[in-house]
Structure formats: C-alpha cells, structure tokens
Amino acid sequence: MGFNGVSWAADFVHLHVASAYSLRYGVASPAALVARAAQHGMRALALTDRDGLYGAVKHAVACAEAGIATILGADLALAGQAGLAGLAGDPAGRVLNSAAPARLRSEDAARVTLLASGRRGWASLCRLVSAAHQAGARGAPVISPGLVAEHAEGLIILLGPGSDVGRAIAARRPDHAAAALARWREHGEVVIEITDHRTRGSTHRAARMLRLAREAGVTAVLTNAVRYLDPPDAAVAQVLDAARQLAPLSERHLARSNARAYLASGDDMAAIAARVCGTPEDSAMTQLLHATAVLAERCTLDPQRDLGLGGRFMPETTGGAPLVTLRMRCAEGLRRRYPGGVRARGQRRLRRRAAQRLDHELSIIAKTGLASYFLTVADVAALIRSRGIRCSIRGSGAGSLVNYLIGISNIDPLDYDLIMERFLSESRQGLPDIDLDVESARRIEAYRAILDTYSDQRVACVSMMETYRARSAIRDVAASLGLPPHEIDAVAKAFPHIRAGRIRSALTELPELRTSGLAMPQLTAVFQLAERLDGLPRHVAMHPCGVVLSDTSLLDRTPVERSFEGLPLSQ
C-alpha cells in the first residue's frame, strides 16, 4: 500500500467500530456501516462490538457482498480497577458503589479492543469472549491481562483512550501509563490506539498517547472509535447511553461526548491525523496512517477459511465411516418397518418399492456428504424420546424415507406419496432442515440431555436478539428525558405491540390512539427519538427452538455465554 499525498485517505481503514450489536451503545447495523465504508472507497472495515461477537457473521456477509475485506474484533471491559486506583484525574464518568448491579459497575471499567489475525486469531478471540462471559456476571463480561495472555495467539491488543493506559494519560500520570503499557506487553502483542473526538483536551491526550508509543517503541494506529454513521445519530447514541446507565441525559450523569464518533471518510481521518501529529508534512502523520493500513492488512479475515462460514461441522462419529453406518441402520429399519412376510405379497411389493426409494435417497446423501448429519439427528431424536419426552418431525423432512427408517420420523412417506426432493436434492446448498418438535414444557430438559451427552465443547443453544419496539423504545427515551415513571408507564401502555417506527403514524391510524390525547407537543421529541430506536437490538435471549451441535471445534468458531437457565448460548 502506498502513502503519497491523497493516497492517505484512500488507504485508511477503520479498526474500531461498534454496530447496533453493541447493545444499547452502537446505533447502525453492520450492513449500513459496510455500505458507508464502501461508499468512502475503503478496502476493508473492522467490526469490534462491545462484549461479544453477535454481529460478526452479518458483518462478514455484508463485507463479502460489498466487495471489501472483513476485520473482526471485540471491545471488552477490564475486571476491577486494572491499576487505575489513585488516578484522581481519571474522567471515566460516574462512580458507583459496590452494591450497584454488575452491568452498571462495568460502565466505569477501562476497556481494551482485541483484533483477530487469521484463523488462529479468530479462534482465540471466540474463546476469549467466552472466557470473559464466564469470568463476569451475566451481561457484564470482563477480562484481565492474564486472561488475555491465555488466549493471546493471533490477537492484537489495542490500547486506546478508554484503556488503563489511556486513562493514566488523561490523568497526567505518564509513569502509570508506561507501567500499564509494560504490563500489557508481557501478555501479548500491543498497539496504541490514537483517537481524537475533539472533546475538551482530547487532542492533547491523543498527542501524549502518540508520544508514549514512540518512546516505548510500540506501534500506534489511528481510529475514530465509531458508534454511528452520521453526526446527527449522536442523539440516538446519547439516549442509548442514558438507557444503558439508567441515568437521565445530563452531563452530571453521563460522560461528555459530541457528534464525532461517526464513520468518517479517509479525508476526515487524515485531517485528524494532521491535527494530532502536526502538519500534513510531518513524518509522524505518515507513519501513523501507514501503520493503520498495515495492521488492517494483517487482520483481514477470509470468512470461509478463517471463520468457517459455509462449512459443515458434525459431532465425531464412532463405528466406521458415516455412510456405511447409515446404510446399515437403514437396512435394519427396512426390515423392521416393512417385514415382507411369505404370506404378505402386498407387503413384499411395498418393501421392494421402499428398497428402490432407499437406494435413490442414499445416493443423494452420499453425493452431498450428509450421512453424519442424518446419524446425528437420529441419535438426538432417540435421546429425547428415551427420556420420555414427546418428539415429532415437522416439515419437508417427513418426505424422506431415510428419516423414517432410522427413527427420526414416524411418518411413512410412501403412504402419503411424499417426495424427498422438497427436502433434499443434489443441487441444494447447505444443510437440509430436519425440524423436530419437542413438547414445550420439557424443552429445557431436552436441551440438558443433549448437553450432557455431547458436552459443552460441542453443544450450545441458539441466542436471539430482542429488539426495540414501540413500548420499550418509549420507556427508554422518556426515562432518558426525565419524565416521571408513572407518566412513562401510562404513555407506553397506551400503544399496542407495534414496531417503534410506527409510533407517530399509529397516533392517527389507530382509533384507540386518535382519542388518547397523546399527540401533544410535549411528547413530540419522545416519539421522534423512540422511532429512531426501531429494530435496534436491546438484549440477548435464548431462542425457543434451536440447539447447535458440532464437533469439538465449536468454541473456536463461536463464543458462548450463559442463559438465565445456565445453558450455553451461542453468540
């Protein structure tokens, strides 16, 4: 990558970006961020969401569709004070007592960003995020330098203004900053992150961070710590801050911020570099922008090779080749389901028809390499039924004779002239859907049975995102604007369960709201801001209908966290 004149702007890549999957922090979707980066002519974009990798797959897919490279990381909180005790000048916001919920206490924590380099780096990042959720309270993952060291292979540690190093710089304690930096260097590869949002004193702090990096011989890179697409979106980010921190919109409660944390163009970032480093001719500016591009190149990931997207990962099988085992179990099922006795001529004809259909289905399964998939689902169905839990197939999978013969289904497709091709064909991409319905009252028991059998190295439940809708958006916005709780409750409950984006139109379209008197000027700002929260992820929940089963590489490809029931949730 060359760096001459205007190429500075063309080569810039954002390395610290939060999407809406940074819950109640980021504002834009991964797809929107990628589209804006492509619009700026950027060749890659990082996604470094807070506390998890919930948006990683969406980001990788969006990058592939836009023709730009994928970079992934995570922004994680440090446990305890991380060496910050005694820094009286630390501007970290509110001070909470030890009785405050862990999620709120983590708001005051220093934070570091970890970037993944290559397949090994992605695996390390997944396992580190899982370990962080294990180490902290639910919803408040934390790391320590020692924990990072255990998963340091392929990771780059970004120490920015929110880190223990950056906070020491802000408190004008270069000795503490140097000591913290030295500790981090003992645990992994470290890069100093230079960010300047032009808040009071931020340019001077960024310059001091750059000086520290130069004196310590550590690489420095430029970021904009992105939270949203455009400056006007800062208002939404402030509402999310207030909702997350359970505090009204006031400088007394929230850290000072402005509208600079947007996905800036390369030209804008070059201007920031010039402001921090000096004039555009300063060699420090060239080095800073060059180092940023070089690190971006190192951290580029291939979604298929490094993340495993599109791959098939089945639990390990025993007893020979999966296709051989499947044929044997189908042959046994054929004898059991279609006895074909001497006096049952019609039954023998049916058995011959079933044998011909079985050969056809097994040939397709052999060509698609899915034998282990069928065996795994059959074992899971048998496991659930062995616990006395009702389990039945649903959907197009009932059209497969193989499913009937190996016990996944109790529906004979020949009786109902069901065809397999709706379920599986040679041209089908991805895994076919074998949907199993389990009685809802014993669903968690079924999950635990699968977990006990296959272990938490191969099994995780599926997570899902609860998003803002009308009522939840109105509650959070109204609270951030300081409305009394009883008024908030009355206004929110007046709305049916509709999307947040329909709040103002519902006031005129729905008869029960037209006469409610809510279309008053005092609530206009509440409704306008609430609509802008429409569809943003609000919190993580366990999907009621899904379990991930894999081989022992599962935790190298997805982080997990605990559900309320104590079950592992795949992010």
Side-chain angles (χ1 to χ4, degrees):
M1 294 182 181
F3 284 84
N4 297 304
V6 295
S7 67
W8 289 335
D11 288 321
F12 184 80
V13 173
H14 283 283
L15 295 175
H16 188 171
V17 181
S19 76
Y21 288 94
S22 292
L23 304 183
R24 295 185 178 184
Y25 181 80
V27 175
S29 69
L33 291 164
V34 168
R36 179 61 54 84
Q39 194 176 63
H40 286 326
M42 295 176 179
R43 63 187 69 186
L45 182 68
L47 185 70
T48 56
D49 276 323
R50 283 189 165 202
D51 301 334
L53 300 174
Y54 309 104
V57 172
K58 292 183 183 295
H59 178 69
V61 171
C63 284
E65 292 176 350
I68 68 175
T70 300
I71 300 172
L72 289 168
D75 181 337
L76 300 172
L78 290 177
Q81 292 300 306
L84 299 178
L87 299 185
D90 177 25
R94 299 177 302 156
V95 177
L96 299 172
N97 62 43
S98 59
R103 181 173 61 82
L104 288 182
R105 292 201 305 273
S106 70
E107 286 293 317
D108 292 326
R111 303 187 74 91
V112 299
T113 301
L114 293 306
L115 293 178
S117 176
R119 183 177 183 178
R120 186 61 254 169
W122 173 250
S124 296
L125 182 64
C126 288
R127 289 188 176 269
L128 176 61
V129 172
S130 297
H133 280 271
Q134 187 67 31
R138 187 178 185 276
V142 293
I143 59 171
S144 65
L147 190 61
V148 172
E150 294 176 16
H151 305 279
E153 185 180 357
L155 292 183
I156 292 93
I157 305 164
L158 292 189
L159 300 176
S163 69
D164 48 350
V165 174
R167 289 189 175 188
I169 288 291
R172 295 184 178 276
R173 291 301 303 269
D175 53 337
H176 280 234
L181 177 58
R183 285 193 297 271
W184 277 110
R185 295 180 75 179
E186 294 174 358
H187 293 92
E189 182 179 354
V190 173
V191 171
I192 293 292
E193 176 187 356
I194 307 300
T195 304
D196 178 17
H197 285 163
R198 300 195 73 177
T199 55
R200 184 177 179 181
S202 66
T203 302
H204 294 298
R205 290 192 293 273
R208 292 200 298 272
M209 287 283 280
L210 186 59
R211 187 182 311 121
L212 173 66
R214 188 182 302 120
E215 292 171 352
V218 174
T219 300
V221 298
L222 182 68
T223 83
N224 205 41
V226 175
R227 295 181 61 183
Y228 38 80
L229 278 180
D230 299 301
D233 297 330
V236 180
Q238 289 176 334
V239 168
L240 293 176
D241 287 342
R244 193 179 68 253
Q245 299 179 31
L246 303 180
L249 283 169
S250 166
E251 284 194 5
R252 177 186 173 190
H253 301 98
L254 303 178
R256 295 189 195 93
S257 62
N258 55 24
R260 301 281 181 174
Y262 65 99
L263 195 78
S265 67
D267 288 331
D268 289 344
M269 295 307 297
I272 293 172
R275 186 170 62 247
V276 172
C277 300
T279 65
E281 290 75 26
D282 192 331
S283 62
M285 174 182 173
T286 304
Q287 292 171 5
L288 180 62
L289 293 171
H290 177 71
T292 304
V294 169
L295 183 58
E297 188 78 18
R298 279 188 57 195
C299 294
T300 294
L301 299 174
D302 181 279
Q304 287 75 38
R305 183 192 65 227
D306 299 326
L307 277 61
L309 295 189
R312 296 172 180 172
F313 305 90
M314 305 293 174
E316 299 83 356
T317 58
T318 58
L323 185 59
V324 174
T325 303
L326 181 62
R327 289 185 184 277
M328 292 174 57
R329 290 174 66 168
C330 285
E332 179 185 340
L334 192 65
R335 290 190 293 270
R336 185 179 69 255
R337 298 286 198 182
Y338 304 99
V342 174
R343 296 181 181 179
R345 183 175 301 173
Q347 185 72 6
R348 289 199 302 272
R349 284 198 299 268
L350 181 60
R351 181 175 177 178
R352 285 195 298 271
R353 181 183 167 202
Q356 292 172 353
R357 170 76 171 265
L358 176 61
D359 288 341
H360 170 65
E361 291 195 10
L362 286 175
S363 69
I364 295 176
I365 293 172
K367 291 174 182 175
T368 54
L370 292 172
S372 58
Y373 175 61
F374 283 84
L375 292 172
T376 299
V377 178
D379 290 344
V380 168
L383 173 66
I384 293 172
R385 290 173 182 140
S386 72
R387 305 296 177 98
I389 303 172
R390 288 176 294 173
C391 175
S392 177
I393 198 169
R394 170 173 54 87
S396 61
S400 168
L401 182 65
V402 168
N403 284 338
Y404 178 57
L405 296 180
I406 62 178
I408 296 174
S409 167
N410 285 317
I411 299 171
D412 186 346
L414 301 184
D415 278 352
Y416 300 96
D417 293 324
L418 302 178
I419 60 174
M420 183 194 189
E421 281 68 22
R422 286 190 60 204
F423 164 67
L424 176 65
S425 65
E426 293 181 41
S427 60
R428 183 187 179 108
Q429 299 294 318
L431 294 176
D433 293 325
I434 304 180
D435 296 320
L436 296 178
D437 280 340
V438 177
E439 57 179 302
S440 58
R442 301 183 68 183
R443 175 172 53 90
I444 300 300
E445 184 182 346
Y447 290 172
R448 294 194 187 282
I450 297 170
L451 188 63
D452 291 343
T453 301
Y454 290 93
S455 86
D456 58 6
Q457 298 299 305
R458 300 179 181 87
V459 178
C461 295
V462 177
S463 65
M464 65 179 185
M465 286 291 170
E466 296 284 356
T467 60
Y468 274 104
R469 294 180 65 80
R471 289 186 176 185
S472 56
I474 289 171
R475 289 184 188 279
D476 279 359
V477 171
S480 72
L481 295 178
L483 270 67
H486 67 278
E487 291 185 16
I488 297 172
D489 189 59
V491 172
K493 285 183 176 178
F495 283 82
H497 296 286
I498 58 175
R499 291 184 62 98
R502 289 192 56 211
I503 290 174
R504 284 182 292 176
S505 63
L507 290 173
T508 57
E509 293 173 0
L510 301 180
E512 64 269 30
L513 291 178
R514 280 200 297 266
T515 59
S516 66
L518 293 177
M520 59 180 69
Q522 299 92 315
L523 292 176
T524 299
V526 172
F527 294 153
Q528 286 177 339
L529 282 170
E531 285 189 345
R532 295 182 68 180
L533 299 184
D534 182 47
L536 293 183
R538 191 162 179 256
H539 63 264
V540 182
M542 186 170 75
H543 196 286
C545 307
V547 174
V548 177
L549 264 171
S550 176
D551 58 18
T552 53
S553 70
L554 176 65
L555 299 184
D556 287 339
R557 289 176 285 104
T558 176
V560 296
E561 60 183 274
R562 298 185 303 276
S563 70
F564 276 117
E565 294 82 5
L567 296 168
L569 283 181
S570 166
Q571 292 185 359

